[in-house]
């Protein structure tokens, strides 16, 4: 059931088996499996899944390589709702551990916002990350190419740039290190700092020795058409011709709502066991939030594993309590 401002009160006294924060590939996978295990689930989604702006999912087994991420999410949401799971478009403000259950406080709507709290026995954190992009005066100019041939994931998209002239857009001297693994796919690499940081003389020499070009002048705009980036124009009026780009500027983790709970982290990632359980026995972290590879297909696997472990936990406590319940079509 789709929840909204009008029917929220129906859930005031309800305790969900699991609330999933995030409606991306991982969250949808978790929700689908939880519902198939005859558990009752709520997915809370803010509508900004990382895969939403991925234009072609070349690395998802069984799908045509030009399948856009939004199509995968659309089909996943329809599947989840067909299993009678609850869905709410909202932003999770915070999560409180109340002992036997968690209290999940959400904000619904950007204007005339409504706040509401849900109760759940288990929590699946699937809220992912947002990639940092080059900051230009006209950000729409960046969005026109991000997710097309302006890539953010070397593992996902290295194959797409074989023997092309590729620009790496860094955020620090250390971020330029991605040039080394990228050189497996292409040697024609241009490193662009956008004038945001200094590169040491030692690093400059190392880059030059490897045949990489370094451009430290600020960027005025990306060039191209029909979402295909062909280069950049610099603030001094000169142009750098490119066939593709790779953004190496890091990400922001969407997990602030968990700040009130003591969890183990490695850098910005949550540490989990093999079944995606965090250091709190009833909180699971999947997809880009946990330590590991940032891949759509990996996130979907994570969701299935976390849901299965939650079912096992509940089954150990409740035995066959739900035997005989009709399975949704």
């Amino acid at each position: 059931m789709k929840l909204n401002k009008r029917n929220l009160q129906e859930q005031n006294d309800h305790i969900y088996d699991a609330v999933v924060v995030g409606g991306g590939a991982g969250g949808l996978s978790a929700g689908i499996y939880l519902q198939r295990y005859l558990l009752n689930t709520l997915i809370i989604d803010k509508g900004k899944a990382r895969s939403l702006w991925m234009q072609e999912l070349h690395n998802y087994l069984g799908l045509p390589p030009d399948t856009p991420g939004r199509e995968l999410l659309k089909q996943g949401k329809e599947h989840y709702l067909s299993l009678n799971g609850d869905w709410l478009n909202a932003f999770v403000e915070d999560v409180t551990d109340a002992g036997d259950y968690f209290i999940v406080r959400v904000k619904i709507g950007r204007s005339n916002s409504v706040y509401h709290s849900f109760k759940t026995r288990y929590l699946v954190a699937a809220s992912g990350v947002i990639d940092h992009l080059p900051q230009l005066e006209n950000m729409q100019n960046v969005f026109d190419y991000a997710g097309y041939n302006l890539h953010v994931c070397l593992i996902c998209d290295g194959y797409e740039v074989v023997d092309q002239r590729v620009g790496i857009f860094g955020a620090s001297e250390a971020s330029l290190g991605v040039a080394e693994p990228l050189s497996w796919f292409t040697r024609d690499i241009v490193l662009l700092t956008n004038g945001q940081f200094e590169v040491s003389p030692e690093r400059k020499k190392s880059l030059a020795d490897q045949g990489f070009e370094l451009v430290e002048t600020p960027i005025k705009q990306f060039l191209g058409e029909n979402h295909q980036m062909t280069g950049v124009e610099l603030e001094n009026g000169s142009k750098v011709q490119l066939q593709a780009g790779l953004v190496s500027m890091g990400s922001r983790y969407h997990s602030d709502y968990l700040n009130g709970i003591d969890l183990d982290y490695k850098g910005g990632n949550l540490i989990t066991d093999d079944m995606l359980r965090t250091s709190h026995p009833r909180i699971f972290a999947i997809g880009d939030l946990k330590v590991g590879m940032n891949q759509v297909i990996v996130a979907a696997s994570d969701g299935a594993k976390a849901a299965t472990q939650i079912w096992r936990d509940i089954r150990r406590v409740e035995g066959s309590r739900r035997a005989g319940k009709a399975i949704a079509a």
Side-chain angles (χ1 to χ4, degrees), residues 31-39 79 83 327-328:
I32 288 168
Y33 272 86
L34 287 163
Q35 289 300 123
R36 287 173 58 86
Y37 287 134
L38 307 184
L39 303 177
H79 186 183
L83 298 170
I327 298 177

Side-chain angles (χ1 to χ4, degrees), residues 270-322:
L270 284 155
I271 297 175
T272 67
D273 64 13
D274 291 342
M275 295 301 287
L276 292 313
R277 194 195 306 270
T278 68
S279 53
H280 190 296
R282 290 183 290 111
I283 296 180
F284 291 72
I286 65 176
D288 298 343
L289 283 186
K290 61 97 174 67
V291 176
M293 293 175 63
N294 295 358
Q295 302 276 294
V296 171
I297 201 163
V298 172
S301 171
D302 288 348
K305 292 171 70 174
T308 299
Q309 188 58 55
I310 290 171
W311 174 54
R312 289 172 179 169
D313 287 356
I314 292 176
R315 200 176 76 237
R316 287 193 189 102
V317 174
E318 300 184 6
S320 58
R321 179 176 71 84
R322 306 194 184 189

Side-chain angles (χ1 to χ4, degrees), residues 114-324:
V114 171
Y115 292 85
H116 191 81
S117 293
F118 297 93
K119 299 174 183 177
T120 181
R121 301 163 71 188
Y122 285 82
L123 185 83
V124 179
S127 40
V129 301
I130 184 70
D131 297 287
H132 297 311
L133 297 174
Q135 295 299 296
L136 304 184
E137 184 175 348
N138 177 16
M139 285 305 296
Q140 184 56 50
N141 173 248
V142 182
F143 300 145
D144 282 343
Y145 304 106
Y148 291 88
N149 69 335
L150 181 58
H151 307 288
V152 296
C153 177
L154 171 63
I155 294 174
C156 305
D157 302 314
Y159 177 79
E160 309 305 322
V161 302
V162 170
D163 293 334
Q164 293 185 5
R165 181 170 170 80
V166 180
I168 293 177
F169 301 88
S172 66
E173 184 173 296
S175 71
L176 302 181
V178 74
E180 182 178 351
L182 181 62
S183 67
W184 178 270
F185 301 97
T186 180
R187 294 295 303 177
D188 196 356
I189 295 174
V190 183
L191 300 158
L192 300 104
T193 71
N194 195 23
Q196 298 298 303
F197 58 93
E198 297 289 333
V199 181
S200 68
E202 295 78 14
R203 178 57 68 88
K204 287 182 180 180
K205 183 178 185 306
S206 174
L207 295 172
D209 289 345
Q210 295 176 78
F212 302 144
E213 181 181 346
L214 177 65
V215 176
E216 298 182 90
T217 306
I219 299 168
K220 179 180 180 180
Q221 64 177 337
F222 283 93
L223 304 173
E225 59 182 358
N226 297 324
H227 300 295
Q228 293 300 301
M229 187 266 297
T230 59
V232 295
E233 180 182 355
L234 305 177
E235 289 287 0
N236 62 12
S238 63
K239 297 178 181 179
V240 179
Q241 300 299 317
L242 301 169
Q243 293 172 289
L246 177 65
V247 179
S248 178
M249 303 183 70
S251 305
R252 178 181 179 274
Y253 297 88
H254 283 304
S255 57
D256 291 351
Y257 55 90
L258 294 172
N259 286 348
I261 300 176
D262 187 20
L263 297 170
D264 292 340
Y265 290 82
K266 181 178 181 180
N269 295 108
L270 284 155
I271 297 175
T272 67
D273 64 13
D274 291 342
M275 295 301 287
L276 292 313
R277 194 195 306 270
T278 68
S279 53
H280 190 296
R282 290 183 290 111
I283 296 180
F284 291 72
I286 65 176
D288 298 343
L289 283 186
K290 61 97 174 67
V291 176
M293 293 175 63
N294 295 358
Q295 302 276 294
V296 171
I297 201 163
V298 172
S301 171
D302 288 348
K305 292 171 70 174
T308 299
Q309 188 58 55
I310 290 171
W311 174 54
R312 289 172 179 169
D313 287 356
I314 292 176
R315 200 176 76 237
R316 287 193 189 102
V317 174
E318 300 184 6
S320 58
R321 179 176 71 84
R322 306 194 184 189

Side-chain angles (χ1 to χ4, degrees), residues 1-14 16 42 86-89 108 114 116 118:
M1 176 175 69
K2 292 183 180 180
L3 302 182
N4 53 52
K5 293 179 181 179
R6 294 183 296 277
N7 61 9
L8 285 175
Q9 304 309 316
E10 298 177 18
Q11 305 300 321
N12 278 350
D13 299 321
H14 182 65
Y16 285 98
L42 167 64
D86 284 350
W87 178 281
L88 176 67
N89 292 321
I108 307 164
V114 171
H116 191 81
F118 297 93

Side-chain angles (χ1 to χ4, degrees), residues 70-81:
R70 61 182 178 276
E71 180 61 26
L72 178 77
L73 299 182
K74 176 177 178 291
Q75 292 187 26
K77 182 179 178 180
E78 290 174 354
H79 186 183
Y80 170 72
L81 290 172

